[in-house]
Amino acid sequence: MRASSSALLRDLPVLLVAVVWGSSFLAVQRVAEPDTVVAMLVLRFGLVLPVLGLFAWRALRGLRRAEWLGGAALGLVLGAIFLLETFGAVHTSATNAGLIISLTIVFTPLAESALARTPLPRPFLAAAGLAVVGIALLTGEGGLRAPSAGDLLVLGAAVVRTVNVLATARVKAIRETDTLAVTWVQLATATLVFAAVAPFVGPSPWTVAAAYGPAQWGWLLHLTLLCTLFAFFVQMWAVRTTSPSRVSLLLGTEPLWAAVFGITLAGNHLGPLALLGGALVLVGTEWGRRTASAPPREAESAEPAERASVPV
């Protein structure tokens, strides 16, 4: 009984991360319009960097030039993810965005398999096909309608997320580098790019900040404190106190929570076939997750803790 209670206490914070990530698509829609996306990103990560920097300061001082450059390169990729995902979220429903982005779960093993030239299990391929059929039903609203621009942008974000995962694993300069330090460099690089681009694509971050009311500031702080800082630190803690596979499975419920928030709070309405599509995405991505990464218990316990990912 005590063991099960202890496991529940370890799992609960990770599950809360999945919940707040699921709410992030709705939060983005509450604080950003198409012409204020870049300014909002500057504000969001401008608030994150000082806090994260306090914890990462000692490690940052010890970084070598190659580590700074490696982190900065990954930061450019991360910036592309944020731009695609955020622009996509303001041009589609919160439900669609949350479900489409989950395709990263099946894209990543497919890409790894192609690079390594190793076949994937047939159940995984069936799961991937199921998820793709689900996306077609979901974005077509159960008919033959072409996906919206927002749907395609979020799909692009899922593809670039896959690139980011593969690149992070292969950039030799940062393999042994402190996670906090690399994360700070990535976010700082992406934020500098956003700040440089912002004046040319819409109002300045300061103008947007001044125009925000209490509700919008509340949603922005939700994105900053919960969806980014809280999520990052929980991941770092979780991969050291429980198995990476367990963390992955719990975080995999993110699209389910995105659908819950989209339908209950954002008022997203899905027809019967679109609902079926959403269900197929959830089933396909979860099935794919389980069939693509099921390491033996001994191998799993022998592996080092996974690097915590940057919350997106």
Side-chain angles (χ1 to χ4, degrees), residues 71-121:
L74 291 175
L76 295 177
V77 179
L78 189 67
I81 297 171
F82 282 122
L83 287 172
L84 287 168
E85 189 171 308
T86 311
F87 272 113
V90 299
H91 284 97
T92 189
S93 69
T95 301
N96 278 24
L99 292 170
I100 294 171
I101 201 67
S102 69
L103 286 178
T104 303
I105 295 166
V106 295
F107 287 167
T108 302
L110 286 171
E112 288 179 331
S113 174
L115 288 174
R117 297 183 179 180
T118 56
L120 284 164

mmCIF file of all heavy atoms in Angstrom, residues 71-121:
data_model
loop_
_atom_site.group_PDB
_atom_site.id
_atom_site.type_symbol
_atom_site.label_atom_id
_atom_site.label_comp_id
_atom_site.label_asym_id
_atom_site.label_seq_id
_atom_site.Cartn_x
_atom_site.Cartn_y
_atom_site.Cartn_z
ATOM 1 N N GLY A 71 24.541 24.647 -28.342
ATOM 2 C CA GLY A 71 23.267 25.048 -27.759
ATOM 3 C C GLY A 71 22.560 26.098 -28.597
ATOM 4 O O GLY A 71 21.338 26.066 -28.777
ATOM 5 N N ALA A 72 23.342 27.046 -29.150
ATOM 6 C CA ALA A 72 22.752 28.101 -29.980
ATOM 7 C C ALA A 72 22.158 27.519 -31.263
ATOM 8 O O ALA A 72 21.078 27.940 -31.705
ATOM 9 C CB ALA A 72 23.802 29.159 -30.306
ATOM 10 N N ALA A 73 22.848 26.550 -31.854
ATOM 11 C CA ALA A 73 22.331 25.924 -33.074
ATOM 12 C C ALA A 73 21.002 25.229 -32.793
ATOM 13 O O ALA A 73 20.037 25.345 -33.566
ATOM 14 C CB ALA A 73 23.354 24.933 -33.623
ATOM 15 N N LEU A 74 20.948 24.508 -31.677
ATOM 16 C CA LEU A 74 19.693 23.859 -31.307
ATOM 17 C C LEU A 74 18.628 24.897 -30.959
ATOM 18 O O LEU A 74 17.433 24.655 -31.143
ATOM 19 C CB LEU A 74 19.922 22.917 -30.129
ATOM 20 C CG LEU A 74 20.766 21.671 -30.422
ATOM 21 C CD1 LEU A 74 21.010 20.879 -29.143
ATOM 22 C CD2 LEU A 74 20.087 20.787 -31.462
ATOM 23 N N GLY A 75 19.060 26.060 -30.452
ATOM 24 C CA GLY A 75 18.115 27.129 -30.146
ATOM 25 C C GLY A 75 17.410 27.653 -31.383
ATOM 26 O O GLY A 75 16.235 28.037 -31.328
ATOM 27 N N LEU A 76 18.106 27.667 -32.517
ATOM 28 C CA LEU A 76 17.475 28.097 -33.770
ATOM 29 C C LEU A 76 16.384 27.108 -34.176
ATOM 30 O O LEU A 76 15.310 27.506 -34.630
ATOM 31 C CB LEU A 76 18.529 28.202 -34.873
ATOM 32 C CG LEU A 76 19.606 29.279 -34.674
ATOM 33 C CD1 LEU A 76 20.628 29.220 -35.804
ATOM 34 C CD2 LEU A 76 18.970 30.675 -34.603
ATOM 35 N N VAL A 77 16.662 25.825 -33.994
ATOM 36 C CA VAL A 77 15.648 24.808 -34.292
ATOM 37 C C VAL A 77 14.469 24.958 -33.338
ATOM 38 O O VAL A 77 13.296 24.890 -33.737
ATOM 39 C CB VAL A 77 16.252 23.394 -34.186
ATOM 40 C CG1 VAL A 77 15.191 22.335 -34.483
ATOM 41 C CG2 VAL A 77 17.432 23.237 -35.134
ATOM 42 N N LEU A 78 14.777 25.188 -32.066
ATOM 43 C CA LEU A 78 13.720 25.360 -31.064
ATOM 44 C C LEU A 78 12.855 26.570 -31.402
ATOM 45 O O LEU A 78 11.628 26.531 -31.272
ATOM 46 C CB LEU A 78 14.346 25.517 -29.684
ATOM 47 C CG LEU A 78 13.394 25.490 -28.487
ATOM 48 C CD1 LEU A 78 12.771 24.118 -28.337
ATOM 49 C CD2 LEU A 78 14.135 25.884 -27.213
ATOM 50 N N GLY A 79 13.492 27.652 -31.844
ATOM 51 C CA GLY A 79 12.737 28.839 -32.230
ATOM 52 C C GLY A 79 11.775 28.549 -33.362
ATOM 53 O O GLY A 79 10.636 29.042 -33.376
ATOM 54 N N ALA A 80 12.214 27.737 -34.327
ATOM 55 C CA ALA A 80 11.329 27.370 -35.438
ATOM 56 C C ALA A 80 10.118 26.586 -34.936
ATOM 57 O O ALA A 80 8.991 26.783 -35.408
ATOM 58 C CB ALA A 80 12.108 26.550 -36.470
ATOM 59 N N ILE A 81 10.349 25.702 -33.954
ATOM 60 C CA ILE A 81 9.231 24.941 -33.384
ATOM 61 C C ILE A 81 8.213 25.876 -32.749
ATOM 62 O O ILE A 81 7.002 25.768 -32.994
ATOM 63 C CB ILE A 81 9.740 23.935 -32.328
ATOM 64 C CG1 ILE A 81 10.662 22.906 -32.957
ATOM 65 C CG2 ILE A 81 8.556 23.228 -31.649
ATOM 66 C CD1 ILE A 81 11.365 22.012 -31.950
ATOM 67 N N PHE A 82 8.696 26.801 -31.917
ATOM 68 C CA PHE A 82 7.784 27.722 -31.238
ATOM 69 C C PHE A 82 6.994 28.562 -32.238
ATOM 70 O O PHE A 82 5.790 28.787 -32.061
ATOM 71 C CB PHE A 82 8.558 28.637 -30.296
ATOM 72 C CG PHE A 82 8.949 27.986 -29.003
ATOM 73 C CD1 PHE A 82 10.284 27.920 -28.627
ATOM 74 C CD2 PHE A 82 8.004 27.437 -28.152
ATOM 75 C CE1 PHE A 82 10.657 27.325 -27.434
ATOM 76 C CE2 PHE A 82 8.366 26.837 -26.955
ATOM 77 C CZ PHE A 82 9.696 26.781 -26.597
ATOM 78 N N LEU A 83 7.667 29.045 -33.272
ATOM 79 C CA LEU A 83 6.976 29.869 -34.257
ATOM 80 C C LEU A 83 5.896 29.075 -34.985
ATOM 81 O O LEU A 83 4.750 29.528 -35.107
ATOM 82 C CB LEU A 83 7.983 30.438 -35.264
ATOM 83 C CG LEU A 83 8.885 31.555 -34.746
ATOM 84 C CD1 LEU A 83 9.963 31.890 -35.773
ATOM 85 C CD2 LEU A 83 8.071 32.805 -34.419
ATOM 86 N N LEU A 84 6.240 27.902 -35.478
ATOM 87 C CA LEU A 84 5.265 27.083 -36.206
ATOM 88 C C LEU A 84 4.099 26.687 -35.307
ATOM 89 O O LEU A 84 2.933 26.787 -35.693
ATOM 90 C CB LEU A 84 5.953 25.832 -36.756
ATOM 91 C CG LEU A 84 6.898 26.026 -37.935
ATOM 92 C CD1 LEU A 84 7.719 24.768 -38.177
ATOM 93 C CD2 LEU A 84 6.117 26.399 -39.192
ATOM 94 N N GLU A 85 4.430 26.233 -34.093
ATOM 95 C CA GLU A 85 3.389 25.752 -33.193
ATOM 96 C C GLU A 85 2.469 26.885 -32.734
ATOM 97 O O GLU A 85 1.250 26.714 -32.668
ATOM 98 C CB GLU A 85 4.042 25.070 -31.990
ATOM 99 C CG GLU A 85 3.052 24.341 -31.100
ATOM 100 C CD GLU A 85 3.763 23.504 -30.047
ATOM 101 O OE1 GLU A 85 4.639 22.707 -30.429
ATOM 102 O OE2 GLU A 85 3.442 23.659 -28.854
ATOM 103 N N THR A 86 3.055 28.050 -32.426
ATOM 104 C CA THR A 86 2.245 29.155 -31.917
ATOM 105 C C THR A 86 1.406 29.779 -33.012
ATOM 106 O O THR A 86 0.214 30.063 -32.817
ATOM 107 C CB THR A 86 3.146 30.219 -31.260
ATOM 108 O OG1 THR A 86 4.039 29.586 -30.346
ATOM 109 C CG2 THR A 86 2.305 31.233 -30.503
ATOM 110 N N PHE A 87 2.008 30.018 -34.188
ATOM 111 C CA PHE A 87 1.213 30.521 -35.310
ATOM 112 C C PHE A 87 0.120 29.522 -35.663
ATOM 113 O O PHE A 87 -1.014 29.903 -35.968
ATOM 114 C CB PHE A 87 2.099 30.777 -36.534
ATOM 115 C CG PHE A 87 2.700 32.153 -36.579
ATOM 116 C CD1 PHE A 87 4.062 32.330 -36.440
ATOM 117 C CD2 PHE A 87 1.897 33.273 -36.757
ATOM 118 C CE1 PHE A 87 4.627 33.596 -36.473
ATOM 119 C CE2 PHE A 87 2.441 34.545 -36.801
ATOM 120 C CZ PHE A 87 3.819 34.708 -36.660
ATOM 121 N N GLY A 88 0.450 28.226 -35.623
ATOM 122 C CA GLY A 88 -0.562 27.216 -35.917
ATOM 123 C C GLY A 88 -1.696 27.230 -34.917
ATOM 124 O O GLY A 88 -2.869 27.117 -35.283
ATOM 125 N N ALA A 89 -1.349 27.389 -33.626
ATOM 126 C CA ALA A 89 -2.373 27.357 -32.575
ATOM 127 C C ALA A 89 -3.379 28.492 -32.704
ATOM 128 O O ALA A 89 -4.543 28.332 -32.325
ATOM 129 C CB ALA A 89 -1.710 27.394 -31.203
ATOM 130 N N VAL A 90 -2.929 29.651 -33.224
ATOM 131 C CA VAL A 90 -3.877 30.765 -33.350
ATOM 132 C C VAL A 90 -4.681 30.685 -34.643
ATOM 133 O O VAL A 90 -5.585 31.489 -34.856
ATOM 134 C CB VAL A 90 -3.159 32.140 -33.266
ATOM 135 C CG1 VAL A 90 -2.457 32.292 -31.929
ATOM 136 C CG2 VAL A 90 -2.188 32.333 -34.411
ATOM 137 N N HIS A 91 -4.365 29.707 -35.511
ATOM 138 C CA HIS A 91 -5.109 29.558 -36.760
ATOM 139 C C HIS A 91 -5.903 28.259 -36.831
ATOM 140 O O HIS A 91 -6.486 27.933 -37.864
ATOM 141 C CB HIS A 91 -4.143 29.614 -37.954
ATOM 142 C CG HIS A 91 -3.666 30.998 -38.271
ATOM 143 N ND1 HIS A 91 -2.460 31.493 -37.816
ATOM 144 C CD2 HIS A 91 -4.235 31.999 -38.986
ATOM 145 C CE1 HIS A 91 -2.302 32.724 -38.249
ATOM 146 N NE2 HIS A 91 -3.359 33.063 -38.954
ATOM 147 N N THR A 92 -5.901 27.487 -35.731
ATOM 148 C CA THR A 92 -6.712 26.277 -35.695
ATOM 149 C C THR A 92 -7.281 26.138 -34.291
ATOM 150 O O THR A 92 -7.058 27.001 -33.432
ATOM 151 C CB THR A 92 -5.892 25.038 -36.097
ATOM 152 O OG1 THR A 92 -6.785 23.919 -36.250
ATOM 153 C CG2 THR A 92 -4.834 24.684 -35.059
ATOM 154 N N SER A 93 -8.010 25.068 -34.050
ATOM 155 C CA SER A 93 -8.587 24.884 -32.722
ATOM 156 C C SER A 93 -7.548 24.327 -31.757
ATOM 157 O O SER A 93 -6.572 23.687 -32.166
ATOM 158 C CB SER A 93 -9.780 23.929 -32.789
ATOM 159 O OG SER A 93 -9.346 22.610 -33.082
ATOM 160 N N ALA A 94 -7.772 24.578 -30.471
ATOM 161 C CA ALA A 94 -6.873 24.040 -29.446
ATOM 162 C C ALA A 94 -6.867 22.518 -29.486
ATOM 163 O O ALA A 94 -5.828 21.869 -29.275
ATOM 164 C CB ALA A 94 -7.297 24.534 -28.065
ATOM 165 N N THR A 95 -8.019 21.923 -29.770
ATOM 166 C CA THR A 95 -8.112 20.460 -29.860
ATOM 167 C C THR A 95 -7.259 19.930 -31.000
ATOM 168 O O THR A 95 -6.467 19.000 -30.833
ATOM 169 C CB THR A 95 -9.571 20.030 -30.055
ATOM 170 O OG1 THR A 95 -10.352 20.497 -28.952
ATOM 171 C CG2 THR A 95 -9.691 18.516 -30.153
ATOM 172 N N ASN A 96 -7.419 20.521 -32.193
ATOM 173 C CA ASN A 96 -6.632 20.076 -33.334
ATOM 174 C C ASN A 96 -5.139 20.220 -33.072
ATOM 175 O O ASN A 96 -4.356 19.324 -33.365
ATOM 176 C CB ASN A 96 -7.014 20.882 -34.581
ATOM 177 C CG ASN A 96 -8.259 20.349 -35.262
ATOM 178 O OD1 ASN A 96 -9.078 19.694 -34.631
ATOM 179 N ND2 ASN A 96 -8.419 20.654 -36.528
ATOM 180 N N ALA A 97 -4.739 21.380 -32.532
ATOM 181 C CA ALA A 97 -3.318 21.630 -32.297
ATOM 182 C C ALA A 97 -2.721 20.584 -31.363
ATOM 183 O O ALA A 97 -1.643 20.034 -31.629
ATOM 184 C CB ALA A 97 -3.120 23.033 -31.718
ATOM 185 N N GLY A 98 -3.422 20.299 -30.270
ATOM 186 C CA GLY A 98 -2.904 19.349 -29.299
ATOM 187 C C GLY A 98 -2.801 17.938 -29.843
ATOM 188 O O GLY A 98 -1.868 17.193 -29.510
ATOM 189 N N LEU A 99 -3.743 17.545 -30.686
ATOM 190 C CA LEU A 99 -3.714 16.195 -31.241
ATOM 191 C C LEU A 99 -2.698 16.062 -32.368
ATOM 192 O O LEU A 99 -1.980 15.065 -32.461
ATOM 193 C CB LEU A 99 -5.108 15.802 -31.738
ATOM 194 C CG LEU A 99 -6.158 15.607 -30.641
ATOM 195 C CD1 LEU A 99 -7.557 15.458 -31.241
ATOM 196 C CD2 LEU A 99 -5.838 14.379 -29.792
ATOM 197 N N ILE A 100 -2.606 17.084 -33.223
ATOM 198 C CA ILE A 100 -1.666 17.007 -34.343
ATOM 199 C C ILE A 100 -0.226 16.995 -33.858
ATOM 200 O O ILE A 100 0.613 16.243 -34.367
ATOM 201 C CB ILE A 100 -1.903 18.176 -35.328
ATOM 202 C CG1 ILE A 100 -3.273 18.036 -35.995
ATOM 203 C CG2 ILE A 100 -0.811 18.203 -36.404
ATOM 204 C CD1 ILE A 100 -3.687 19.244 -36.816
ATOM 205 N N ILE A 101 0.090 17.815 -32.858
ATOM 206 C CA ILE A 101 1.476 17.881 -32.388
ATOM 207 C C ILE A 101 1.915 16.549 -31.802
ATOM 208 O O ILE A 101 3.113 16.224 -31.773
ATOM 209 C CB ILE A 101 1.653 19.026 -31.361
ATOM 210 C CG1 ILE A 101 3.130 19.442 -31.259
ATOM 211 C CG2 ILE A 101 1.119 18.628 -30.004
ATOM 212 C CD1 ILE A 101 3.682 20.076 -32.489
ATOM 213 N N SER A 102 0.965 15.736 -31.351
ATOM 214 C CA SER A 102 1.311 14.442 -30.763
ATOM 215 C C SER A 102 1.887 13.473 -31.795
ATOM 216 O O SER A 102 2.451 12.438 -31.430
ATOM 217 C CB SER A 102 0.089 13.808 -30.093
ATOM 218 O OG SER A 102 -0.877 13.411 -31.053
ATOM 219 N N LEU A 103 1.766 13.808 -33.086
ATOM 220 C CA LEU A 103 2.332 12.935 -34.116
ATOM 221 C C LEU A 103 3.855 12.840 -34.015
ATOM 222 O O LEU A 103 4.460 11.927 -34.596
ATOM 223 C CB LEU A 103 1.934 13.438 -35.508
ATOM 224 C CG LEU A 103 0.485 13.185 -35.923
ATOM 225 C CD1 LEU A 103 0.222 13.778 -37.296
ATOM 226 C CD2 LEU A 103 0.159 11.704 -35.921
ATOM 227 N N THR A 104 4.479 13.749 -33.281
ATOM 228 C CA THR A 104 5.920 13.637 -33.038
ATOM 229 C C THR A 104 6.262 12.264 -32.473
ATOM 230 O O THR A 104 7.334 11.717 -32.736
ATOM 231 C CB THR A 104 6.374 14.732 -32.045
ATOM 232 O OG1 THR A 104 6.012 16.013 -32.565
ATOM 233 C CG2 THR A 104 7.888 14.695 -31.855
ATOM 234 N N ILE A 105 5.334 11.713 -31.697
ATOM 235 C CA ILE A 105 5.561 10.412 -31.057
ATOM 236 C C ILE A 105 5.788 9.321 -32.092
ATOM 237 O O ILE A 105 6.590 8.398 -31.875
ATOM 238 C CB ILE A 105 4.372 10.064 -30.144
ATOM 239 C CG1 ILE A 105 4.276 11.064 -28.988
ATOM 240 C CG2 ILE A 105 4.476 8.641 -29.607
ATOM 241 C CD1 ILE A 105 2.964 11.003 -28.236
ATOM 242 N N VAL A 106 5.100 9.404 -33.232
ATOM 243 C CA VAL A 106 5.311 8.392 -34.270
ATOM 244 C C VAL A 106 6.334 8.844 -35.300
ATOM 245 O O VAL A 106 7.017 8.013 -35.906
ATOM 246 C CB VAL A 106 3.975 8.002 -34.954
ATOM 247 C CG1 VAL A 106 3.061 7.318 -33.967
ATOM 248 C CG2 VAL A 106 3.283 9.190 -35.587
ATOM 249 N N PHE A 107 6.470 10.165 -35.518
ATOM 250 C CA PHE A 107 7.462 10.655 -36.475
ATOM 251 C C PHE A 107 8.886 10.327 -36.030
ATOM 252 O O PHE A 107 9.737 9.977 -36.851
ATOM 253 C CB PHE A 107 7.345 12.173 -36.644
ATOM 254 C CG PHE A 107 6.141 12.630 -37.430
ATOM 255 C CD1 PHE A 107 5.766 13.967 -37.443
ATOM 256 C CD2 PHE A 107 5.387 11.738 -38.171
ATOM 257 C CE1 PHE A 107 4.676 14.396 -38.166
ATOM 258 C CE2 PHE A 107 4.274 12.160 -38.899
ATOM 259 C CZ PHE A 107 3.927 13.490 -38.891
ATOM 260 N N THR A 108 9.163 10.460 -34.729
ATOM 261 C CA THR A 108 10.533 10.293 -34.245
ATOM 262 C C THR A 108 11.065 8.875 -34.469
ATOM 263 O O THR A 108 12.158 8.708 -35.032
ATOM 264 C CB THR A 108 10.635 10.689 -32.764
ATOM 265 O OG1 THR A 108 10.203 12.055 -32.620
ATOM 266 C CG2 THR A 108 12.068 10.567 -32.271
ATOM 267 N N PRO A 109 10.340 7.821 -34.057
ATOM 268 C CA PRO A 109 10.845 6.469 -34.356
ATOM 269 C C PRO A 109 10.973 6.194 -35.856
ATOM 270 O O PRO A 109 11.893 5.495 -36.281
ATOM 271 C CB PRO A 109 9.800 5.547 -33.716
ATOM 272 C CG PRO A 109 9.152 6.378 -32.667
ATOM 273 C CD PRO A 109 9.129 7.762 -33.221
ATOM 274 N N LEU A 110 10.051 6.753 -36.660
ATOM 275 C CA LEU A 110 10.151 6.573 -38.110
ATOM 276 C C LEU A 110 11.444 7.188 -38.647
ATOM 277 O O LEU A 110 12.149 6.584 -39.466
ATOM 278 C CB LEU A 110 8.936 7.199 -38.804
ATOM 279 C CG LEU A 110 7.607 6.446 -38.699
ATOM 280 C CD1 LEU A 110 6.460 7.301 -39.237
ATOM 281 C CD2 LEU A 110 7.670 5.123 -39.461
ATOM 282 N N ALA A 111 11.756 8.407 -38.172
ATOM 283 C CA ALA A 111 12.975 9.080 -38.623
ATOM 284 C C ALA A 111 14.220 8.350 -38.142
ATOM 285 O O ALA A 111 15.196 8.184 -38.891
ATOM 286 C CB ALA A 111 12.985 10.525 -38.126
ATOM 287 N N GLU A 112 14.207 7.905 -36.880
ATOM 288 C CA GLU A 112 15.349 7.162 -36.347
ATOM 289 C C GLU A 112 15.563 5.868 -37.124
ATOM 290 O O GLU A 112 16.700 5.473 -37.412
ATOM 291 C CB GLU A 112 15.129 6.860 -34.867
ATOM 292 C CG GLU A 112 15.261 8.085 -33.977
ATOM 293 C CD GLU A 112 15.011 7.756 -32.516
ATOM 294 O OE1 GLU A 112 14.242 6.811 -32.256
ATOM 295 O OE2 GLU A 112 15.588 8.431 -31.649
ATOM 296 N N SER A 113 14.465 5.202 -37.467
ATOM 297 C CA SER A 113 14.552 3.961 -38.231
ATOM 298 C C SER A 113 15.150 4.211 -39.610
ATOM 299 O O SER A 113 15.987 3.433 -40.097
ATOM 300 C CB SER A 113 13.163 3.340 -38.371
ATOM 301 O OG SER A 113 13.186 2.208 -39.222
ATOM 302 N N ALA A 114 14.735 5.319 -40.242
ATOM 303 C CA ALA A 114 15.259 5.642 -41.571
ATOM 304 C C ALA A 114 16.760 5.956 -41.506
ATOM 305 O O ALA A 114 17.528 5.510 -42.367
ATOM 306 C CB ALA A 114 14.501 6.832 -42.154
ATOM 307 N N LEU A 115 17.175 6.694 -40.483
ATOM 308 C CA LEU A 115 18.592 7.047 -40.360
ATOM 309 C C LEU A 115 19.454 5.820 -40.068
ATOM 310 O O LEU A 115 20.567 5.679 -40.591
ATOM 311 C CB LEU A 115 18.784 8.093 -39.257
ATOM 312 C CG LEU A 115 18.282 9.499 -39.565
ATOM 313 C CD1 LEU A 115 18.396 10.385 -38.331
ATOM 314 C CD2 LEU A 115 19.063 10.119 -40.719
ATOM 315 N N ALA A 116 18.935 4.952 -39.208
ATOM 316 C CA ALA A 116 19.700 3.759 -38.829
ATOM 317 C C ALA A 116 19.502 2.598 -39.800
ATOM 318 O O ALA A 116 20.206 1.587 -39.712
ATOM 319 C CB ALA A 116 19.289 3.311 -37.428
ATOM 320 N N ARG A 117 18.550 2.747 -40.717
ATOM 321 C CA ARG A 117 18.229 1.701 -41.691
ATOM 322 C C ARG A 117 17.881 0.383 -40.999
ATOM 323 O O ARG A 117 18.313 -0.693 -41.381
ATOM 324 C CB ARG A 117 19.390 1.498 -42.667
ATOM 325 C CG ARG A 117 19.684 2.737 -43.508
ATOM 326 C CD ARG A 117 20.788 2.491 -44.512
ATOM 327 N NE ARG A 117 21.031 3.681 -45.303
ATOM 328 C CZ ARG A 117 21.956 3.773 -46.271
ATOM 329 N NH1 ARG A 117 22.721 2.718 -46.538
ATOM 330 N NH2 ARG A 117 22.116 4.895 -46.931
ATOM 331 N N THR A 118 17.076 0.534 -39.970
ATOM 332 C CA THR A 118 16.588 -0.642 -39.241
ATOM 333 C C THR A 118 15.063 -0.650 -39.294
ATOM 334 O O THR A 118 14.430 0.391 -39.119
ATOM 335 C CB THR A 118 17.039 -0.611 -37.770
ATOM 336 O OG1 THR A 118 16.607 0.615 -37.160
ATOM 337 C CG2 THR A 118 18.553 -0.714 -37.667
ATOM 338 N N PRO A 119 14.460 -1.802 -39.542
ATOM 339 C CA PRO A 119 12.995 -1.852 -39.656
ATOM 340 C C PRO A 119 12.323 -1.681 -38.300
ATOM 341 O O PRO A 119 12.870 -2.057 -37.263
ATOM 342 C CB PRO A 119 12.739 -3.256 -40.224
ATOM 343 C CG PRO A 119 13.926 -4.061 -39.773
ATOM 344 C CD PRO A 119 15.092 -3.117 -39.771
ATOM 345 N N LEU A 120 11.144 -1.106 -38.345
ATOM 346 C CA LEU A 120 10.335 -0.960 -37.140
ATOM 347 C C LEU A 120 9.364 -2.135 -37.025
ATOM 348 O O LEU A 120 9.010 -2.754 -38.037
ATOM 349 C CB LEU A 120 9.546 0.345 -37.192
ATOM 350 C CG LEU A 120 10.341 1.623 -36.910
ATOM 351 C CD1 LEU A 120 9.559 2.838 -37.364
ATOM 352 C CD2 LEU A 120 10.665 1.722 -35.422
ATOM 353 N N PRO A 121 8.916 -2.440 -35.808
ATOM 354 C CA PRO A 121 7.935 -3.527 -35.655
ATOM 355 C C PRO A 121 6.658 -3.233 -36.437
ATOM 356 O O PRO A 121 6.235 -2.078 -36.544
ATOM 357 C CB PRO A 121 7.665 -3.534 -34.145
ATOM 358 C CG PRO A 121 8.807 -2.815 -33.522
ATOM 359 C CD PRO A 121 9.277 -1.820 -34.526
#
